[in-house]
Amino acid sequence: MVWLFATGHAVDLVLLVMLVEAVWLRARHRWRVGAIARCFLPGVFMLLALRAALTGLDWRWIAGALALSFPVHLADIARRGR
């Protein structure tokens, strides 16, 4: 089980589940692609930051992924507020 986290594959599994959920929302509930992106991208970026940290990438990759998650999160909040 340690290899699952050491290689970052645990994050890959979570991302795969999120992809399946996004496809399901698109197909079943007819969510628009933009709505799905606003909803899922902050989490995707945070998971990519986690994967970078687990695999020992440079701190800039972690900070970059976290920094990208924030504006998308704000866009999602702004959209939901309307």
Side-chain angles (χ1 to χ4, degrees):
M1 188 82 156
V2 171
W3 69 270
L4 195 62
F5 289 91
T7 60
H9 291 313
V11 174
D12 296 340
L13 289 173
V14 174
L15 288 170
L16 180 64
V17 169
M18 288 178 72
L19 176 64
V20 169
E21 184 181 4
V23 169
W24 181 78
L25 285 170
R26 175 78 174 129
R28 180 78 167 107
H29 296 287
R30 301 185 198 277
W31 276 34
R32 287 193 267 148
V33 175
I36 292 171
R38 277 190 309 275
C39 184
F40 282 86
L41 273 179
V44 168
F45 284 130
M46 286 188 281
L47 283 168
L48 290 175
L50 173 62
R51 190 178 198 293
L54 289 174
T55 57
L57 286 179
D58 188 61
W59 68 269
R60 292 177 199 101
W61 287 100
I62 301 165
L66 289 175
L68 287 172
S69 72
F70 187 62
V72 182
H73 176 63
L74 290 178
D76 183 37
I77 290 174
R79 178 75 174 154
R80 289 175 191 246
R82 293 182 197 164

